[in-house]
Amino acid sequence: MKAKKKSANGTIKITNYIEKVSEVNETKQYDLFCFVKGNRGVNQSHVNKLIAKIKRKNLREIPIYVGPMNKDGKYPILDGQHRHDAYKTLGLPIRFIIVDYMTINDVPSMNSTKLSWGNKDYLQRYVDKGIPAYIYYKKFMETYTLDNKFSVVTTILNGVYRRERGLEIDFVDGKFDISETGKENAEEIGVFLGNVFDVLGKEVKNSFFMFALLHAISHKNFNKEHFVGKLKKRSKMFSGCVNTLQWYDVIKKVYTTRNQKHKVVFTPIKED
């Protein structure tokens, strides 16, 4: 076997088509690194999210990028300061690559070109993997014209009436599942939402309204047919609201006005 030859520019030829251009290092000596003046400040909320993600699955192969060692014997962090703090908090080793040509001035433009994964990307990923629950999720969203209303659909398909961040994290992590009974309940709500949209139109096809309505129908004795019937006479009331609480006030007023047969004791809605 022939030895791998190192070229003049420091690269190592592995095959005719591949050259090794840098080395990945690993350490638990966190004081080897320093932050760089002019970089973004550390967002502790983002660090906490990274800590939670690393606890679920540690993708330690993803390195941080640092400049050459400075006169104080430290590596300035150019990209990955949040990951640095997350790994430091957890006491886990940090992998890093020393770069020669990147400077702090390159970091903003590099970060601005990154395209983050969205819920649509995660959904398609799990659909492509053939996971039945996610295939159903996509079909439900399309059938009831809830395109891109991921927080609403996740709430409905989990059989709850209030947004829960933990369920949305499970969706991203590939842990979403649904039973046959859950599908039946979800489809009943899907049909109801469709009837509401038919009367009120696109004015109410927003997450604020839908979460207000989900909270309303969670109440015992809430009659969906009665509510849809009321909409036809009071559709003009459904406009101008800018948050869930305002929509909920309108829903309550429409439902309770001149209503003796289908009474409901509405409870306050709690927002995160």
Side-chain angles (χ1 to χ4, degrees):
M1 182 177 178
K2 292 182 179 180
K4 298 171 183 176
K5 294 183 179 181
K6 195 167 185 178
S7 65
N9 64 359
T11 64
I12 298 175
K13 180 171 285 189
I14 298 175
T15 71
N16 289 333
Y17 308 102
I18 302 174
E19 289 186 345
K20 183 177 180 180
V21 297
S22 61
E23 292 184 355
V24 178
N25 307 280
E26 184 176 276
T27 184
K28 291 180 74 175
Q29 293 295 114
Y30 310 111
D31 58 357
L32 280 175
F33 306 98
C34 64
F35 293 153
V36 182
K37 188 176 181 179
N39 205 344
R40 289 183 297 181
V42 173
N43 184 319
Q44 189 57 46
S45 176
H46 185 54
V47 173
N48 293 339
K49 289 178 182 178
L50 286 175
I51 290 172
K53 286 185 177 181
I54 293 168
K55 285 181 177 180
R56 293 196 299 274
K57 187 172 184 179
N58 181 11
L59 296 177
R60 60 182 183 179
E61 290 83 2
I62 302 175
I64 67 174
Y65 293 88
V66 302
M69 185 177 286
N70 63 21
K71 62 181 181 180
D72 297 319
K74 296 183 182 296
Y75 294 103
I77 300 174
L78 300 175
D79 184 59
Q81 55 189 7
H82 291 92
R83 272 173 283 148
H84 168 274
D85 277 11
Y87 279 105
K88 181 179 179 180
T89 300
L90 293 169
L92 296 172
I94 297 173
R95 291 193 177 184
F96 64 100
I97 293 176
I98 303 171
V99 294
D100 294 318
Y101 302 108
M102 183 191 299
T103 71
I104 190 61
N105 295 325
D106 299 316
V107 174
S109 61
M110 184 177 70
N111 286 334
S112 68
T113 59
K114 289 182 179 179
L115 183 61
S116 300
W117 275 58
N119 286 316
K120 190 174 183 179
D121 301 309
Y122 286 110
L123 176 60
Q124 192 58 49
R125 175 191 181 190
Y126 296 125
V127 168
D128 290 343
K129 292 177 74 172
I131 301 177
Y134 286 84
I135 293 172
Y136 178 81
Y137 189 111
K138 184 176 182 180
K139 181 181 178 182
F140 180 89
M141 181 176 279
E142 293 171 347
T143 300
Y144 298 105
T145 62
L146 295 169
D147 299 336
N148 295 317
K149 297 293 185 289
F150 285 93
S151 58
V152 173
V153 174
T154 299
T155 300
I156 294 172
L157 296 185
N158 276 284
V160 295
Y161 296 92
R162 184 172 181 268
R163 186 176 186 181
E164 296 181 15
R165 306 290 181 178
L167 297 176
E168 295 175 20
I169 293 173
D170 286 345
F171 169 83
V172 167
D173 288 345
K175 298 177 182 178
F176 166 72
D177 201 4
I178 186 169
S179 65
E180 291 303 316
T181 301
K183 291 178 183 179
E184 291 176 8
N185 294 336
E187 286 165 17
E188 180 181 323
I189 293 175
V191 170
F192 169 62
L193 287 176
N195 292 336
V196 172
F197 298 152
D198 286 344
V199 177
L200 300 179
K202 63 181 181 180
E203 178 70 25
V204 298
K205 293 198 77 172
N206 61 79
S207 297
F208 292 128
F209 171 81
M210 285 185 259
F211 277 117
L213 188 57
L214 286 175
H215 182 73
I217 67 176
S218 71
H219 290 81
K220 185 178 180 181
N221 299 327
F222 186 97
N223 188 289
K224 298 183 182 71
E225 291 183 7
H226 166 78
F227 180 70
V228 173
K230 284 290 194 73
L231 295 182
K232 296 174 181 178
K233 299 177 181 178
R234 296 176 170 82
S235 60
K236 292 182 179 180
M237 293 179 64
F238 290 86
S239 64
C241 297
V242 297
N243 58 46
T244 301
L245 295 178
Q246 289 180 4
W247 281 119
Y248 187 52
D249 286 340
V250 173
I251 291 169
K252 288 189 296 181
K253 187 172 182 179
V254 168
Y255 187 89
T256 56
T257 300
R258 297 180 182 178
N259 176 14
Q260 297 298 321
K261 187 177 180 181
H262 305 290
K263 290 186 177 182
V264 171
V265 179
F266 288 103
T267 58
I269 192 169
K270 297 179 180 179
E271 288 193 315
D272 292 335

Coordinates of all heavy atoms in Angstrom, one line a residue, residues 153-217:
V153 N -51.9 21.3 13.6 CA -52.1 19.9 13.2 C -51.5 19.0 14.3 O -52.1 18.0 14.6 CB -51.5 19.7 11.8 CG1 -51.5 18.2 11.5 CG2 -52.3 20.5 10.8
T154 N -50.3 19.4 14.8 CA -49.7 18.5 15.8 C -50.6 18.5 17.0 O -50.7 17.4 17.7 CB -48.3 19.1 16.2 OG1 -47.5 19.1 15.0 CG2 -47.7 18.3 17.3
T155 N -51.2 19.6 17.4 CA -52.1 19.6 18.6 C -53.3 18.7 18.3 O -53.7 17.9 19.2 CB -52.6 21.1 18.8 OG1 -51.4 21.9 19.1 CG2 -53.5 21.1 20.0
I156 N -53.9 18.9 17.2 CA -55.1 18.1 16.9 C -54.8 16.6 16.9 O -55.5 15.8 17.5 CB -55.8 18.5 15.5 CG1 -56.3 19.9 15.6 CG2 -56.9 17.6 15.1 CD1 -56.7 20.5 14.3
L157 N -53.8 16.2 16.2 CA -53.4 14.8 16.0 C -53.0 14.1 17.3 O -53.0 12.9 17.4 CB -52.4 14.6 14.9 CG -52.9 15.0 13.5 CD1 -51.8 14.7 12.5 CD2 -54.2 14.3 13.1
N158 N -52.5 14.9 18.2 CA -52.2 14.4 19.5 C -53.3 14.3 20.5 O -53.2 13.9 21.7 CB -51.0 15.2 20.2 CG -49.6 14.7 19.6 OD1 -49.1 13.7 20.0 ND2 -49.1 15.5 18.7
G159 N -54.5 14.7 20.0 CA -55.7 14.6 20.9 C -55.8 15.6 22.0 O -56.4 15.4 23.0
V160 N -55.1 16.7 21.9 CA -55.1 17.8 22.9 C -55.7 19.0 22.3 O -55.9 19.1 21.1 CB -53.8 18.0 23.5 CG1 -53.2 16.8 24.3 CG2 -52.8 18.5 22.4
Y161 N -56.0 20.0 23.1 CA -56.7 21.2 22.7 C -55.9 22.5 22.9 O -56.3 23.6 22.6 CB -58.1 21.3 23.3 CG -59.0 20.2 22.9 CD1 -59.1 19.1 23.7 CD2 -59.8 20.3 21.7 CE1 -60.0 18.0 23.3 CE2 -60.6 19.3 21.4 CZ -60.7 18.1 22.2 OH -61.5 17.1 21.8
R162 N -54.7 22.3 23.5 CA -53.8 23.4 23.8 C -52.4 23.1 23.3 O -52.0 21.9 23.4 CB -53.8 23.6 25.3 CG -53.0 24.9 25.7 CD -53.2 25.1 27.2 NE -52.5 26.3 27.6 CZ -51.3 26.3 28.1 NH1 -50.6 25.1 28.3 NH2 -50.7 27.4 28.5
R163 N -51.8 24.1 22.7 CA -50.4 23.9 22.2 C -49.5 23.4 23.2 O -49.4 24.0 24.3 CB -50.0 25.2 21.5 CG -48.6 25.0 20.8 CD -48.3 26.3 20.1 NE -47.1 26.2 19.3 CZ -46.5 27.1 18.6 NH1 -47.1 28.3 18.6 NH2 -45.4 26.9 17.8
E164 N -48.7 22.4 22.9 CA -47.7 21.8 23.9 C -46.4 21.7 23.1 O -46.3 21.0 22.2 CB -48.1 20.5 24.4 CG -49.4 20.5 25.3 CD -49.8 19.2 25.9 OE1 -48.9 18.3 25.9 OE2 -50.9 19.1 26.3
R165 N -45.4 22.5 23.6 CA -44.1 22.5 22.9 C -43.4 21.1 22.8 O -42.7 20.8 21.9 CB -43.2 23.5 23.6 CG -43.7 24.9 23.7 CD -43.9 25.6 22.4 NE -44.4 27.0 22.6 CZ -44.6 27.9 21.6 NH1 -44.3 27.5 20.4 NH2 -45.1 29.1 21.9
G166 N -43.6 20.4 23.9 CA -43.0 19.0 23.9 C -43.5 18.2 22.8 O -42.7 17.4 22.2
L167 N -44.7 18.3 22.4 CA -45.3 17.5 21.3 C -44.6 17.9 20.0 O -44.4 17.1 19.1 CB -46.8 17.6 21.2 CG -47.6 17.1 22.4 CD1 -49.1 17.4 22.3 CD2 -47.3 15.6 22.6
E168 N -44.4 19.2 19.8 CA -43.7 19.7 18.6 C -42.3 19.2 18.5 O -41.8 19.0 17.4 CB -43.8 21.2 18.6 CG -45.3 21.7 18.5 CD -45.5 23.2 18.6 OE1 -44.5 23.9 18.3 OE2 -46.6 23.7 18.9
I169 N -41.6 19.1 19.7 CA -40.3 18.6 19.7 C -40.3 17.1 19.3 O -39.4 16.7 18.5 CB -39.6 18.8 21.1 CG1 -39.4 20.3 21.4 CG2 -38.3 18.0 21.2 CD1 -38.9 20.6 22.8
D170 N -41.2 16.4 19.8 CA -41.4 15.0 19.4 C -41.6 14.8 17.9 O -41.1 13.9 17.3 CB -42.6 14.3 20.2 CG -42.2 14.1 21.6 OD1 -41.0 14.1 22.0 OD2 -43.2 13.8 22.4
F171 N -42.4 15.7 17.3 CA -42.6 15.7 15.9 C -41.3 15.8 15.1 O -41.0 15.1 14.2 CB -43.6 16.8 15.5 CG -43.7 17.0 14.0 CD1 -44.5 16.2 13.2 CD2 -42.9 18.0 13.4 CE1 -44.6 16.4 11.9 CE2 -43.0 18.2 12.0 CZ -43.8 17.4 11.2
V172 N -40.5 16.8 15.5 CA -39.2 17.0 14.9 C -38.2 15.8 15.1 O -37.5 15.5 14.2 CB -38.5 18.3 15.4 CG1 -37.1 18.4 15.0 CG2 -39.3 19.5 15.0
D173 N -38.3 15.2 16.3 CA -37.4 14.1 16.6 C -37.9 12.8 16.0 O -37.2 11.7 16.2 CB -37.3 14.0 18.1 CG -36.4 15.1 18.7 OD1 -35.8 15.8 17.9 OD2 -36.5 15.3 19.9
G174 N -39.0 12.7 15.3 CA -39.5 11.5 14.7 C -40.2 10.6 15.6 O -40.4 9.4 15.4
K175 N -40.7 11.2 16.7 CA -41.4 10.4 17.7 C -42.9 10.5 17.7 O -43.7 9.9 18.5 CB -41.0 10.8 19.1 CG -39.5 10.6 19.4 CD -39.1 11.1 20.8 CE -37.6 10.9 21.0 NZ -37.1 11.4 22.3
F176 N -43.5 11.3 16.7 CA -44.9 11.4 16.6 C -45.6 10.1 16.2 O -45.1 9.3 15.4 CB -45.3 12.5 15.5 CG -46.7 12.4 15.1 CD1 -47.7 12.9 16.0 CD2 -47.1 11.9 13.9 CE1 -49.0 12.9 15.6 CE2 -48.4 11.9 13.5 CZ -49.4 12.4 14.4
D177 N -46.7 9.8 16.9 CA -47.5 8.6 16.6 C -49.0 8.9 16.8 O -49.3 9.9 17.5 CB -47.0 7.5 17.4 CG -47.4 6.1 16.8 OD1 -48.0 6.1 15.7 OD2 -47.2 5.1 17.5
I178 N -49.8 8.1 16.2 CA -51.3 8.3 16.4 C -52.0 7.0 16.3 O -51.6 6.2 15.4 CB -51.8 9.3 15.3 CG1 -53.3 9.7 15.6 CG2 -51.6 8.8 13.9 CD1 -53.8 10.8 14.8
S179 N -53.0 6.8 17.1 CA -53.8 5.6 17.1 C -55.0 5.7 16.2 O -55.3 6.8 15.7 CB -54.3 5.3 18.5 OG -55.2 6.3 18.9
E180 N -55.7 4.6 15.9 CA -56.9 4.7 15.1 C -58.0 5.5 15.7 O -58.7 6.3 15.0 CB -57.4 3.2 14.8 CG -56.5 2.4 13.9 CD -56.2 3.0 12.6 OE1 -57.2 3.5 12.0 OE2 -55.0 3.1 12.1
T181 N -58.1 5.4 17.0 CA -59.1 6.3 17.7 C -58.7 7.7 17.6 O -59.5 8.6 17.4 CB -59.1 5.9 19.2 OG1 -59.5 4.5 19.3 CG2 -60.1 6.8 19.9
G182 N -57.4 8.0 17.7 CA -56.9 9.4 17.5 C -57.2 9.9 16.1 O -57.6 11.1 16.0
K183 N -57.1 9.1 15.1 CA -57.4 9.5 13.8 C -58.9 9.8 13.6 O -59.3 10.8 13.0 CB -57.1 8.4 12.8 CG -55.6 8.1 12.6 CD -55.3 7.0 11.7 CE -53.9 6.6 11.5 NZ -53.6 5.5 10.6
E184 N -59.8 9.0 14.2 CA -61.2 9.3 14.2 C -61.5 10.6 14.8 O -62.3 11.4 14.3 CB -62.0 8.2 14.9 CG -61.9 6.8 14.1 CD -62.6 5.7 14.9 OE1 -63.3 6.0 15.9 OE2 -62.5 4.6 14.5
N185 N -61.0 10.9 16.0 CA -61.2 12.2 16.7 C -60.7 13.3 15.9 O -61.3 14.4 15.8 CB -60.6 12.1 18.1 CG -61.2 11.1 19.0 OD1 -62.4 10.7 18.8 ND2 -60.5 10.6 20.0
A186 N -59.5 13.2 15.3 CA -58.9 14.2 14.5 C -59.7 14.6 13.3 O -59.9 15.7 12.9 CB -57.5 13.8 14.1
E187 N -60.2 13.5 12.6 CA -61.0 13.8 11.4 C -62.3 14.4 11.7 O -62.8 15.2 10.9 CB -61.2 12.4 10.7 CG -59.9 12.0 10.0 CD -59.9 10.5 9.6 OE1 -61.0 9.9 9.5 OE2 -58.8 10.0 9.3
E188 N -62.9 14.2 12.9 CA -64.1 14.8 13.3 C -63.8 16.3 13.4 O -64.6 17.2 13.0 CB -64.6 14.3 14.6 CG -65.9 14.9 15.1 CD -66.4 14.4 16.4 OE1 -66.2 13.1 16.6 OE2 -66.9 15.1 17.3
I189 N -62.7 16.7 14.0 CA -62.3 18.1 14.2 C -62.0 18.7 12.8 O -62.4 19.8 12.5 CB -61.1 18.2 15.2 CG1 -61.5 17.8 16.6 CG2 -60.6 19.7 15.1 CD1 -60.4 17.8 17.6
G190 N -61.3 17.9 12.0 CA -61.0 18.4 10.6 C -62.3 18.8 9.8 O -62.3 19.8 9.2
V191 N -63.3 17.9 9.9 CA -64.5 18.2 9.2 C -65.2 19.5 9.8 O -65.7 20.3 9.0 CB -65.5 17.0 9.3 CG1 -66.9 17.4 8.8 CG2 -65.0 15.8 8.6
F192 N -65.2 19.6 11.1 CA -65.7 20.8 11.8 C -65.0 22.0 11.3 O -65.7 23.1 11.0 CB -65.6 20.6 13.3 CG -66.0 21.8 14.1 CD1 -67.2 22.4 14.0 CD2 -65.0 22.4 14.9 CE1 -67.5 23.6 14.7 CE2 -65.3 23.6 15.6 CZ -66.5 24.1 15.5
L193 N -63.7 22.0 11.3 CA -62.9 23.2 10.9 C -63.3 23.5 9.4 O -63.4 24.7 9.1 CB -61.4 22.9 11.0 CG -60.8 22.9 12.4 CD1 -59.4 22.5 12.4 CD2 -61.0 24.3 13.1
G194 N -63.4 22.5 8.6 CA -63.8 22.7 7.2 C -65.1 23.5 7.1 O -65.3 24.4 6.3
N195 N -66.1 23.1 7.9 CA -67.4 23.7 7.9 C -67.3 25.2 8.3 O -68.0 26.1 7.8 CB -68.4 23.0 8.8 CG -68.7 21.6 8.3 OD1 -68.6 21.3 7.1 ND2 -69.1 20.7 9.2
V196 N -66.4 25.4 9.3 CA -66.2 26.8 9.8 C -65.6 27.6 8.7 O -66.0 28.8 8.4 CB -65.4 26.8 11.1 CG1 -65.0 28.2 11.4 CG2 -66.1 26.1 12.2
F197 N -64.6 27.1 8.0 CA -63.9 27.8 7.0 C -64.8 28.1 5.8 O -64.7 29.2 5.2 CB -62.7 27.0 6.4 CG -61.6 26.8 7.5 CD1 -60.8 25.6 7.4 CD2 -61.4 27.7 8.5 CE1 -59.8 25.4 8.3 CE2 -60.5 27.4 9.5 CZ -59.6 26.3 9.4
D198 N -65.7 27.2 5.5 CA -66.7 27.4 4.4 C -67.6 28.6 4.7 O -67.9 29.3 3.7 CB -67.6 26.1 4.3 CG -66.9 25.0 3.6 OD1 -65.8 25.2 3.1 OD2 -67.4 23.8 3.8
V199 N -67.9 28.9 5.9 CA -68.7 30.0 6.3 C -67.9 31.3 6.4 O -68.3 32.4 5.8 CB -69.5 29.8 7.6 CG1 -70.3 31.0 7.9 CG2 -70.4 28.6 7.5
L200 N -66.8 31.2 7.1 CA -66.0 32.5 7.4 C -64.9 32.8 6.4 O -64.4 33.9 6.4 CB -65.4 32.3 8.8 CG -66.5 32.1 9.9 CD1 -65.8 32.0 11.3 CD2 -67.5 33.3 10.0
G201 N -64.5 31.8 5.6 CA -63.4 32.1 4.6 C -62.0 32.2 5.2 O -61.7 31.8 6.3
K202 N -61.1 32.8 4.4 CA -59.7 32.9 4.8 C -59.4 33.8 5.9 O -58.3 33.7 6.5 CB -58.9 33.3 3.5 CG -59.3 34.7 3.1 CD -58.4 35.1 1.9 CE -58.7 36.5 1.4 NZ -57.9 36.9 0.2
E203 N -60.4 34.6 6.3 CA -60.2 35.5 7.5 C -59.8 34.7 8.7 O -59.0 35.3 9.6 CB -61.4 36.3 7.7 CG -61.4 37.3 8.9 CD -60.5 38.5 8.7 OE1 -60.3 38.8 7.5 OE2 -60.0 39.1 9.7
V204 N -60.3 33.5 8.9 CA -60.0 32.8 10.1 C -59.0 31.6 9.9 O -58.8 30.8 10.8 CB -61.3 32.2 10.7 CG1 -62.3 33.4 11.1 CG2 -62.0 31.3 9.7
K205 N -58.4 31.5 8.8 CA -57.5 30.4 8.5 C -56.1 30.8 9.1 O -55.1 30.9 8.3 CB -57.4 30.1 7.1 CG -58.7 29.4 6.6 CD -58.5 28.7 5.3 CE -57.9 27.3 5.5 NZ -57.8 26.5 4.3
N206 N -56.0 31.1 10.4 CA -54.8 31.5 11.0 C -54.7 30.7 12.3 O -55.7 30.3 12.9 CB -54.7 33.0 11.2 CG -55.8 33.5 12.1 OD1 -55.7 33.4 13.3 ND2 -56.8 34.2 11.5
S207 N -53.5 30.5 12.8 CA -53.3 29.7 14.0 C -54.0 30.4 15.3 O -54.5 29.6 16.2 CB -51.8 29.5 14.3 OG -51.2 28.8 13.2
F208 N -54.0 31.7 15.4 CA -54.6 32.3 16.5 C -56.1 31.9 16.7 O -56.6 31.5 17.7 CB -54.5 33.9 16.4 CG -53.2 34.4 16.5 CD1 -52.7 35.2 15.5 CD2 -52.3 34.1 17.6 CE1 -51.4 35.8 15.6 CE2 -51.1 34.6 17.7 CZ -50.6 35.4 16.7
F209 N -56.8 32.0 15.5 CA -58.2 31.6 15.6 C -58.4 30.1 15.9 O -59.3 29.8 16.7 CB -58.9 31.9 14.2 CG -60.3 31.4 14.1 CD1 -61.4 32.1 14.7 CD2 -60.6 30.2 13.5 CE1 -62.7 31.6 14.6 CE2 -61.8 29.7 13.4 CZ -62.9 30.4 14.0
M210 N -57.6 29.3 15.2 CA -57.8 27.9 15.4 C -57.5 27.4 16.8 O -58.2 26.5 17.3 CB -56.9 27.1 14.4 CG -57.5 27.2 13.0 SD -56.6 26.2 11.7 CE -55.7 27.5 10.9
F211 N -56.5 28.0 17.5 CA -56.2 27.6 18.9 C -57.3 28.1 19.8 O -57.7 27.4 20.8 CB -54.9 28.1 19.3 CG -53.7 27.2 18.9 CD1 -52.7 27.7 18.0 CD2 -53.7 25.9 19.4 CE1 -51.7 26.9 17.7 CE2 -52.6 25.1 19.0 CZ -51.6 25.5 18.1
A212 N -57.9 29.3 19.5 CA -59.0 29.7 20.3 C -60.2 28.8 20.1 O -60.9 28.5 21.1 CB -59.4 31.1 19.8
L213 N -60.5 28.3 18.9 CA -61.6 27.5 18.6 C -61.4 26.1 19.3 O -62.3 25.5 19.8 CB -61.8 27.3 17.1 CG -63.1 26.5 16.7 CD1 -64.3 27.2 17.3 CD2 -63.2 26.5 15.1
L214 N -60.1 25.6 19.2 CA -59.8 24.3 19.8 C -60.1 24.4 21.3 O -60.6 23.4 21.9 CB -58.4 23.9 19.6 CG -58.0 23.4 18.2 CD1 -56.5 23.2 18.1 CD2 -58.8 22.1 17.9
H215 N -59.7 25.5 22.0 CA -60.0 25.6 23.4 C -61.5 25.7 23.6 O -62.0 25.0 24.6 CB -59.4 26.9 23.9 CG -59.6 27.1 25.4 ND1 -58.9 26.3 26.4 CD2 -60.4 27.9 26.1 CE1 -59.3 26.7 27.6 NE2 -60.2 27.7 27.4
A216 N -62.2 26.3 22.8 CA -63.7 26.4 23.0 C -64.3 25.0 22.9 O -65.2 24.7 23.7 CB -64.3 27.3 21.9
I217 N -64.0 24.2 21.9 CA -64.6 22.9 21.7 C -64.2 21.9 22.7 O -64.8 20.8 22.8 CB -64.4 22.4 20.3 CG1 -62.9 22.0 20.0 CG2 -64.9 23.4 19.2 CD1 -62.7 21.4 18.7

